[in-house]
Amino acid sequence: MARAQAPLTRDPAPVRWGLRVVAVVYVVLLVAWPTYLVFENALKPGLGAMLDGLRDPDVAHAIDLTVTITVYAVLINLAFGLTVSLLLVRYDFPGKRLLSALLDVPLSVSPVVVGLALVLVYNGQDGWFGPTLERLGYQVIFSTPGIVMATVFVALPLVIREIVPVLEEIGDEQEQAARSLGANGVQTFWRVTLPGIKWAVVYGVVLALARSIGEFGAVKIVSGNVVGQSQTATLVVEETYQNFQQQTSYAVSALLALVAMVSLVVVAVLRPKEHKS
Amino acid sequence: MSIHVDGVSKRFGDFVALDDVSVDLPTGQLTALLGPSGGGKSTLLRIIAGLETADTGTVTIEGREATHLPPQKRNVGFVFQHYAAFKHMSVAKNVAFGLEIRHRPKTEVKKRVAELLELVHLDQFAHRLPSQLSGGQRQRMALARALAVEPSVLLLDEPFGALDAKVRKELREWLRRLHDEVHVTSVFVTHDQEEALEVADEIVVINEGRVEQVGTPDQLYDAPATDFVMGFLGPVTRLGGAQVRPHDIEVSTDPGQPGAVPGRVVRLLRVGFEVRLWVETAPSEEPVSVTVTRAHQRQLALGEGSAVWLSPTSDATRVDAVV
């Protein structure tokens, strides 16, 4: 028992080094080395050739589509996430715990199932809601709205789970003070609440962004994977890889990995500075 | 009357926080809402501020019916126990908040903020963040912030509750002096009777959701209306069926006075310049607590086991116990 309570630094050197080696080896074998290989393979023919691969019309369209989908999905999740977080932390209502539990469903349910569920509801032939929408002129499944919905769904909890603990921690006294000083609800939100949770929002957005760019399973089912139309970047990776166009596959993979890594690094670099000042 | 509260009740579930409370808080004075924790005094303050709504009853501020106004339309300043500083803003920005919300011209805001920071002795900390200030400094900043909008009433909820004893004492003396300078109608909540007696012009004693008594510190201390007020404002003991303050009991070593109660000193404790005695008057009753000066104790040669006769002094504050 006494052993377990001692601070980690008191552990004998072999234990400390042993733990470090395990951690480093684990991360290298599982994350760093495979990711590095993607970049190495993508760049093997040279940077110019890699960029040429990305300029292929079908690939470029897929990347465009991914950007569009990601922008919509992140904006929707940001607006929805802020609203739901405020609702969960600042208000009491019946069914609050149920709502909170439901918000975690996207984390536990496989994206493929999500895709299938959306198809069942919104498909134009025998969907529960799809034919009505299609008669009104909106095609959801096999089209951009469906892909956005699938992406929003899988990235749904990320913004909320970042904001909720911070909102709870800062409490509502600052907001009450703002109200007593003459600020209305909107002014209080922009001047007091939002600056207080700024970094949680940024972090949530980055996580949602990375998740949205990388979503595959749900999107594959919902989009129909039509080349040059509803095919996203992750779907290009799979298809080109299976069609023996590995070079294109590596190039797109490297791009996807790079965007996610850069956004995480930028936030990690910015965030501690804010705390020190 | 600056604030007029009429028939206000408030329940939280089954708990009755305020039960038909009516009270008038006079203009320009510093009033204390005094009472034990959970007695409803903070709830009353928050209802006046509009941070809480009353179930029944009305609140009038400066002649204006305010019962259903949102807090931002009441023109009250509110100071919180835990400061509620805007953590991401500098001290100057915190103080300027209310003025910027009201879109006052920049030069005016700057001038007013400088004045207020000087008033609360924080002028050299204008560009710091609240996290770089001590608790006392943060509370002074919160006060300047509340005063900036020139509120018709300043409400303070246990303003010194989170500070350590020494700073608390300094700050309450400072608040008294500040109030004498600024003269804004102020109401502060406290559970510390010494704080209320020292700082307030008028005290409203609140217990279990009801107003027990309203009066100046002298009135309350010298003529408590109820057992509770007497007990809450200072130490009490029971002598011959009445509540008396331990320092209002005369001790003699012979049965001189008619009606004096005989007893025997069972315990004696010296605390600085005063000596506390516990006198047993009847075996079945709680010993009577008596406070005498050190000189008096020496003069009478009082010790454990001494036989004494107790009687209330002629000007003693007493409340006949309701049995």
Side-chain angles (χ1 to χ4, degrees):
Chain A
M1 284 313 283
R3 186 65 272 171
Q5 280 166 1
L8 209 61
T9 48
R10 295 256 181 86
D11 280 334
V15 175
R16 266 186 284 149
W17 281 103
L19 285 172
R20 284 178 204 182
V21 168
V22 167
V24 169
V25 166
Y26 188 85
V27 170
V28 166
L29 286 183
L30 222 61
V31 183
W33 187 241
T35 315
Y36 167 75
L37 281 183
V38 167
F39 284 100
E40 197 197 71
N41 278 297
L43 288 167
K44 208 177 257 167
L47 188 63
M50 174 184 156
L51 292 178
D52 278 344
L54 296 177
R55 278 194 207 101
D56 173 274
D58 288 341
V59 174
H61 182 272
I63 293 172
D64 268 1
L65 184 60
T66 291
V67 170
T68 311
I69 302 287
T70 302
V71 168
Y72 278 120
V74 166
L75 285 179
I76 292 170
N77 268 330
L78 174 62
F80 182 73
L82 273 170
T83 316
V84 170
S85 303
L86 283 169
L87 193 67
L88 282 178
V89 178
R90 295 286 186 259
Y91 298 92
D92 259 322
F93 53 92
K96 182 166 153 175
R97 290 174 62 124
L98 183 69
L99 174 66
S100 180
L102 275 178
L103 289 172
D104 281 337
V105 166
L107 283 182
S108 43
V109 172
S110 164
V112 178
V113 177
V114 173
L116 209 59
L118 286 174
V119 167
L120 284 175
V121 176
Y122 293 103
N123 83 70
Q125 275 76 54
D126 55 359
W128 176 76
F129 198 43
T132 319
L133 281 176
E134 217 144 276
R135 248 178 279 124
L136 294 169
Y138 298 103
Q139 195 193 355
V140 178
I141 302 301
F142 307 140
S143 170
T144 311
I147 309 177
V148 172
M149 279 163 80
T151 311
V152 166
F153 189 106
V154 295
L156 178 77
L158 298 170
V159 173
I160 297 167
R161 293 298 163 216
E162 284 295 317
I163 296 177
V164 163
V166 179
L167 265 182
E168 276 169 353
E169 191 198 316
I170 62 175
D172 62 352
E173 274 208 338
Q174 292 184 50
E175 289 163 17
Q176 291 180 8
R179 299 303 287 269
S180 77
L181 288 167
N184 61 31
V186 176
Q187 287 167 323
T188 304
F189 176 76
W190 285 107
R191 287 171 182 252
V192 175
T193 313
L194 196 56
I197 58 172
K198 184 171 64 183
W199 284 101
V201 172
V202 171
Y203 215 70
V205 162
V206 167
L207 291 178
L209 182 92
R211 187 77 182 81
S212 302
I213 290 174
E215 177 47 29
F216 174 77
V219 167
K220 178 157 190 190
I221 300 224
V222 167
S223 72
N225 199 8
V226 184
V227 176
Q229 279 186 35
S230 64
Q231 190 176 50
T232 65
T234 44
L235 299 181
V236 166
V237 173
E238 193 215 19
E239 183 161 301
T240 50
Y241 186 78
Q242 285 178 344
N243 291 346
F244 306 105
Q245 299 166 270
Q246 272 96 338
Q247 213 43 61
T248 315
S249 184
Y250 291 138
V252 178
S253 301
L255 182 68
L256 290 174
L258 189 69
V259 173
M261 282 158 62
V262 166
S263 25
L264 286 174
V265 167
V266 166
V267 172
V269 168
L270 285 179
R271 185 136 96 157
K273 269 189 203 153
E274 173 74 9
H275 274 244
K276 253 184 263 165
S277 63
Chain B
M1 287 297 166
S2 182
I3 305 174
H4 181 72
V5 175
D6 193 33
V8 163
S9 297
K10 174 75 179 175
R11 284 165 167 276
F12 295 104
D14 286 339
F15 177 70
V16 180
L18 292 172
D19 184 10
D20 193 22
V21 167
S22 298
V23 66
D24 287 319
L25 304 167
T27 306
Q29 293 212 348
L30 184 53
T31 307
L33 300 181
L34 174 68
S37 303
K41 54 199 190 316
S42 279
T43 307
L44 178 59
L45 196 77
R46 292 173 63 83
I47 286 175
I48 296 172
L51 297 173
E52 210 83 69
T53 50
D55 296 340
T56 58
T58 59
V59 176
T60 315
I61 299 173
E62 302 262 284
R64 198 158 65 114
E65 157 74 36
T67 317
H68 301 291
L69 283 181
Q72 69 265 28
K73 300 217 169 118
R74 296 194 182 200
N75 197 32
V76 296
F78 202 95
V79 174
F80 296 81
Q81 179 176 4
H82 297 288
Y83 329 123
F86 300 137
K87 288 184 181 135
H88 59 284
M89 296 181 200
S90 69
V91 171
K93 275 277 173 199
N94 262 276
V95 176
F97 187 87
L99 298 169
E100 287 180 351
I101 288 285
R102 285 166 174 74
H103 302 294
R104 297 279 168 78
K106 274 208 171 95
T107 46
E108 187 199 318
V109 173
K110 219 174 156 187
K111 186 165 156 272
R112 182 97 181 102
V113 168
E115 276 170 22
L116 281 160
L117 287 179
E118 200 177 333
L119 182 73
V120 300
H121 310 299
L122 286 174
D123 23 352
Q124 72 271 46
F125 298 116
H127 300 295
R128 296 228 184 145
L129 283 176
S131 57
Q132 295 165 309
L133 301 182
S134 71
Q137 288 169 336
R138 262 182 249 185
Q139 198 57 299
R140 297 206 310 260
M141 181 196 83
L143 240 141
R145 182 176 72 179
L147 287 172
V149 298
E150 290 171 26
S152 42
V153 200
L154 181 64
L155 305 171
L156 307 103
D157 189 4
E158 301 255 6
F160 315 127
L163 304 169
D164 62 62
K166 188 167 170 283
V167 179
R168 184 155 52 195
K169 230 174 145 67
E170 280 170 17
L171 212 56
R172 73 187 189 211
E173 281 162 21
W174 176 83
L175 175 70
R176 181 67 245 185
R177 287 202 304 274
L178 181 82
H179 185 264
D180 293 340
E181 263 176 65
V182 184
H183 277 308
V184 57
T185 306
S186 308
V187 183
F188 77 103
V189 160
T190 181
H191 60 260
D192 180 346
Q193 84 284 354
E194 197 187 314
E195 192 168 291
L197 290 170
E198 190 179 313
V199 178
D201 297 313
E202 184 159 90
I203 299 176
V204 178
V205 181
I206 297 181
N207 182 40
E208 292 182 345
R210 294 166 174 277
V211 174
E212 294 269 344
Q213 191 176 2
V214 182
T216 64
D218 284 353
Q219 284 167 352
L220 257 64
Y221 199 84
D222 294 339
T226 63
D227 250 18
F228 174 81
V229 175
M230 173 122 185
F232 199 75
L233 284 186
V236 284
T237 190
R238 190 177 278 258
L239 177 66
Q243 301 255 54
V244 187
R245 299 226 183 274
H247 55 258
D248 279 347
I249 294 176
E250 206 160 326
V251 183
S252 65
T253 44
D254 52 69
Q257 292 239 4
V261 181
R264 196 170 54 83
V265 177
V266 287
R267 212 176 135 217
L268 183 148
L269 180 70
R270 187 187 158 190
V271 185
F273 62 88
E274 65 174 36
V275 176
R276 294 178 196 164
L277 309 171
W278 281 265
V279 179
E280 195 179 74
T281 52
S284 60
E285 277 180 37
E286 279 270 297
V288 180
S289 162
V290 184
T291 308
V292 297
T293 63
R294 172 89 175 126
H296 196 55
Q297 178 243 342
R298 273 221 196 99
Q299 189 195 328
L300 296 178
L302 295 175
E304 280 176 21
S306 305
V308 290
W309 278 262
L310 306 176
S311 53
T313 53
S314 52
D315 59 347
T317 304
R318 50 186 291 176
V319 171
D320 290 322
V322 197
V323 182

